[in-house]
Amino acid sequence: YGLRRLLSNVAFAWKQMMIVFPAIIVIGPLLEAAYSLASFFNNAFFLYKAADMVEKGTDVTTIIWFTVIAFSVSELINRGYGFFHNIVMCKKNAAVTINIRNMLFEKAAALDLACYETPNVYDKLSRAFDVAFQAIYDTFYNVDNLVWRLTELCMTSFLVLLIDPVLIVFAAVPFLLGLLKNKKNNLNNDRDNEFKKSWRRADYVRRIFYQTEYAKELRLGNMSFLMVDHLRAAYKSYKKTVYKFGWRLALITFAEVVGREVVTILGAMAFSVWRVSTGHMSVASCIVVINSIAVVATSLAGLVETFGEVGQSARKVGDLRLFLEMKPTITEDPALPEPTP
């Protein structure tokens, strides 16, 4: 899957959202950036300033006013963010679903009967209906999440770098682990595709047994034994898929947990406490590091993960486009005269 095709799929998904809500291309990223900034000021930066004020002996009234203003602004942005996604986008998503469903049915009706002589057409149609709606939403929200991750990472990393640049070494570990997460997403996608093949085969056998006219012919021609063999083969294929992908996914998950929880978070905490004991870091800075290093680590890992999720959802959008881009096998000659009633 080429980068150009992936970017084209992302643009296609956003185009479907913009048909219903043209302003989403501006409102979506801006709102995500504002929400991320509010989260930063309400957590890491607020903790840093409050601890610094207490350590410097700032007046209690000043600290209280600072706290009230910070939480009020943050709460206002949070309410607006929730209203946009829970009320506005809920209605827009329903309209997007209707548009995509109409596109699929119109394309299915436009294809001539010759196209349906090959099972490949049915496979493309079923894959398009399986992934179309969720893939469009996932691609849109993953790009928005990318903006949120980048804003959070930049602000929190800048604060940690101001305290002690050495700490960024600990945060770089989850970035490398994020590459493993990308590998994990690809394995999950391949595993799910294998599962779908097995379940489609099993569902096909069940459907035949449920239909009365087929059930009679199965009993008369002893075809039931062949169908049961197909069902057994589907379950065996499912077990092989679990074994094929299960141990690799387990190892990657274990490496992610150890790298994030042990190497990054505990390592940065131990380093910060050691710096405080040697007098090279204030207690307020140490508190901020303990609170923020996990955010930086999670943001770095999440950034790589989000890039992988954008690619994964864009591939699923590609399944929708594969069906929409199908050409009829029988085309009309424009030189022929129009039929007369």
Side-chain angles (χ1 to χ4, degrees):
Y1 228 91
L3 179 61
R4 179 178 295 181
R5 181 66 176 181
L6 284 177
L7 294 177
S8 176
N9 291 343
V10 172
F12 177 84
W14 272 75
K15 181 181 178 181
Q16 302 311 308
M17 301 296 294
M18 290 172 61
I19 290 174
V20 176
F21 191 13
I24 190 64
I25 193 171
V26 176
I27 296 177
L30 285 180
L31 194 59
E32 291 295 331
Y35 180 75
S36 182
L37 285 172
S39 178
F40 166 74
F41 283 107
N42 196 34
N43 291 293
F45 184 76
F46 170 77
L47 182 62
Y48 176 74
K49 290 296 294 183
D52 187 62
M53 287 179 178
V54 172
E55 194 172 16
K56 292 180 178 179
T58 307
D59 183 59
V60 176
T61 305
T62 304
I63 299 176
I64 292 175
W65 274 111
F66 174 76
T67 304
V68 170
I69 293 173
F71 275 91
S72 298
V73 174
S74 176
E75 187 64 19
L76 182 63
I77 295 176
N78 289 342
R79 294 306 100 195
Y81 182 85
F83 176 81
F84 177 77
H85 282 285
N86 297 328
I87 305 298
V88 177
M89 288 307 300
C90 185
K91 296 179 179 179
K92 301 300 181 183
N93 288 343
V96 172
T97 301
I98 294 173
N99 285 347
I100 298 173
R101 191 180 295 274
N102 289 339
M103 288 170 55
L104 287 172
F105 280 121
E106 288 174 2
K107 182 64 179 181
L111 292 175
D112 46 66
L113 293 178
C115 289
Y116 292 101
E117 292 179 358
T118 168
N120 187 39
V121 176
Y122 289 107
D123 183 62
K124 288 183 178 180
L125 176 61
S126 61
R127 285 167 61 188
F129 270 100
D130 284 344
V131 304
F133 316 112
Q134 194 61 43
I136 294 293
Y137 305 142
D138 287 346
T139 304
F140 167 74
Y141 287 114
N142 284 335
V143 173
D144 268 1
N145 192 31
L146 198 60
V147 176
W148 178 76
R149 292 283 190 187
L150 282 170
T151 307
E152 180 187 51
L153 175 63
C154 292
M155 299 303 296
T156 311
S157 298
F158 178 73
L159 182 61
V160 172
L161 282 172
L162 284 179
I163 296 173
D164 195 331
V166 179
L167 291 168
I168 205 66
V169 175
F170 293 95
V173 175
F175 181 78
L176 299 176
L177 293 175
L179 301 177
L180 283 178
K181 184 66 175 180
N182 192 23
K183 176 66 175 177
K184 182 179 179 181
N185 287 338
N186 291 333
L187 287 174
N188 278 325
N189 187 49
D190 294 340
R191 182 199 60 185
D192 291 343
N193 288 334
E194 293 291 332
F195 281 162
K196 287 178 181 178
K197 291 179 182 178
S198 300
W199 289 123
R200 282 175 185 167
R201 184 185 300 178
D203 289 340
Y204 173 75
V205 175
R206 294 194 194 98
R207 192 162 56 249
I208 288 179
F209 275 104
Y210 276 123
Q211 295 180 1
T212 306
E213 62 273 17
Y214 288 148
K216 293 177 180 177
E217 295 178 3
L218 286 172
R219 288 195 298 269
L220 292 173
N222 289 327
M223 285 294 293
S224 58
F225 298 103
L226 179 60
M227 290 295 99
V228 171
D229 288 339
H230 281 302
L231 184 63
R232 187 179 296 110
Y235 283 109
K236 286 182 179 179
S237 175
Y238 178 83
K239 291 180 180 179
K240 288 180 179 179
T241 302
V242 172
Y243 176 77
K244 178 181 177 182
F245 293 96
W247 65 272
R248 285 186 284 179
L249 291 171
L251 287 177
I252 292 176
T253 303
F254 179 77
E256 286 177 336
V257 173
V258 172
R260 182 179 62 251
E261 302 295 336
V262 179
V263 178
T264 301
I265 298 177
L266 291 181
M269 287 181 180
F271 177 77
S272 300
V273 172
W274 174 73
R275 295 284 284 176
V276 171
S277 64
T278 57
H280 293 89
M281 183 184 293
S282 65
V283 175
S285 297
C286 181
I287 294 174
V288 173
V289 169
I290 293 175
N291 178 74
S292 302
I293 195 64
V295 176
V296 176
T298 304
S299 297
L300 277 169
L303 186 63
V304 180
E305 179 182 350
T306 304
F307 271 114
E309 289 174 350
V310 170
Q312 186 175 357
S313 58
R315 289 187 182 93
K316 293 180 179 179
V317 174
D319 290 338
L320 167 62
R321 295 184 66 194
L322 279 176
F323 180 73
L324 294 177
E325 293 170 356
M326 288 187 62
K327 302 295 184 182
T329 57
I330 301 176
T331 57
E332 296 182 359
D333 189 351
L336 293 177
E338 292 289 334
T340 56

